Amino acid sequence: MLDYTQDRDLAKIRLIACDMDRTLLADDKSQPEGMPERIAALAAAGVVFCPASGRPGPTLQMMFPEHADDMAFLGDNGAAITYHGELVYKSLIAPALYHELTRATLEEGSGVPVLCAFDRAYVPAFGRAHHEALSVYYKKIIYVDALEDVDVEANKYTIYLPGNNSHEAYGATFAPAFSDRLCVACAGVEWIDFMNPGVNKGEGVRHLCELLGIDLADAAAVGDTMNDTEMLDAAGHSFIVANATPGMEEHADYQIPSNNERGVATLIDAILAAKRG
């Protein structure tokens, strides 16, 4: 696979859509040192930095406090887009459908249902046992007796699988039952995400580029796993980290160093150097 240094058009990049877990973030969930300064330097060079994640937008914004109001955020795998502090796009799942998902999750038995409602998440009371894991991604969690009784605007439904069996549950239960009505994607070994059809990080990047007047050919995407495939396929510049899931090289042109080696920071530095000529 080609090394990122072989992309001769880094200077043309105007948008970087970057996955978070196992891509920007190291295994210990930390960001590279100097990211606020790099984001500011990108903005000064005419490049928008956009975290693209299954996390909700407000959680993403909290992770970038220095630039929360002057960045773009692609949250909930593209089901919500925030730009300069304003929610500019959202895609809502019908309550009847997320109630059906809840029933299927409880029947399958190995996961915790999580209903994502932009700035909060609704979780059945038994999910409290996994609060530490859930709170990494959802800063405001409302535990309820019966998720089937909740009727709110929600843009994503997800299942947390503490047994790390997302691929097995996806293939045996959830893809066969729901993939004809929803976009269903594994987000690592412990999560399965559900969004409306056509909602994914790739479509999110398309929406954002259209809003900002940026050609997709001048957009870069950086990712590591299956829920990043659509944005890697959509962007003119596609990069995966060295620690990416096997098979992801089919969706990217270039490889950068691993998340623990701070590959995203290395790529940003290379883009800024190319911009300086």
Side-chain angles (χ1 to χ4, degrees):
M1 188 171 189
L2 295 176
D3 185 77
Y4 71 98
T5 57
Q6 294 179 266
D7 185 341
R8 304 306 181 191
D9 292 321
L10 291 176
K12 295 182 179 180
I13 291 173
R14 298 179 57 200
L15 170 72
I16 303 171
C18 184
D19 177 57
M20 294 293 289
D21 293 287
R22 299 183 71 247
T23 300
L24 176 65
L25 303 182
D27 290 347
D28 65 3
K29 302 298 183 182
S30 65
Q31 294 188 37
E33 290 186 12
M35 275 306 295
E37 292 78 12
R38 286 185 173 91
I39 292 169
L42 286 170
V47 183
V48 176
F49 186 74
C50 176
S53 172
R55 287 174 167 84
T59 300
L60 287 175
Q61 289 175 282
M62 291 172 63
M63 299 175 76
F64 298 87
E66 298 88 351
H67 299 287
D69 292 328
D70 51 53
M71 289 171 58
F73 296 92
L74 198 160
D76 293 316
N77 289 329
I81 301 173
T82 303
Y83 180 64
H84 283 197
E86 179 184 354
L87 184 64
V88 295
Y89 175 80
K90 63 181 179 180
S91 176
L92 301 178
I93 299 176
L97 191 47
Y98 63 66
H99 289 156
E100 183 181 348
L101 280 164
T102 299
R103 292 192 293 271
T105 305
L106 296 175
E107 182 177 341
E108 193 273 339
S110 67
V112 179
V114 181
L115 182 64
C116 309
F118 301 102
D119 63 342
R120 64 195 66 193
Y122 293 85
V123 177
F126 73 85
R128 285 186 186 274
H130 305 284
H131 180 82
E132 183 176 356
L134 298 176
S135 63
V136 171
Y137 303 94
Y138 303 100
K139 300 308 178 185
K140 185 173 183 179
I141 301 174
I142 300 173
Y143 292 100
V144 296
D145 291 333
L147 195 56
E148 301 94 313
D149 295 336
V150 174
D151 187 346
V152 296
E153 282 196 347
N155 60 331
K156 190 183 81 167
Y157 176 95
T158 189
I159 305 170
Y160 172 63
L161 295 120
N164 292 341
N165 60 315
S166 69
H167 294 282
E168 294 83 355
Y170 169 91
T173 301
F174 296 104
F178 293 99
S179 61
D180 60 334
R181 292 173 288 165
L182 290 164
C183 176
V184 186
C186 291
V189 297
E190 71 271 54
W191 296 94
I192 303 175
D193 292 335
F194 303 79
M195 294 78 60
N196 278 325
V199 172
N200 54 62
K201 292 183 183 181
E203 286 305 303
V205 170
R206 291 180 193 275
H207 282 300
L208 186 57
C209 282
E210 183 176 351
L211 174 70
L212 300 181
I214 295 174
D215 194 308
L216 275 168
D218 298 328
V222 194
D224 76 288
T225 195
M226 294 307 294
N227 68 342
D228 300 319
T229 56
E230 291 91 352
M231 81 172 176
L232 291 167
D233 292 341
H237 302 258
S238 51
F239 305 88
I240 56 170
V241 283
N243 56 289
T245 300
M248 288 300 294
E249 63 274 5
E250 298 177 12
H251 299 277
D253 293 326
Y254 305 100
Q255 185 179 87
I256 63 174
S258 73
N259 63 328
N260 290 327
E261 296 173 302
R262 305 309 195 182
V264 172
T266 300
L267 175 62
I268 290 173
D269 291 346
I271 292 170
L272 290 171
K275 291 281 187 181
R276 291 191 293 268

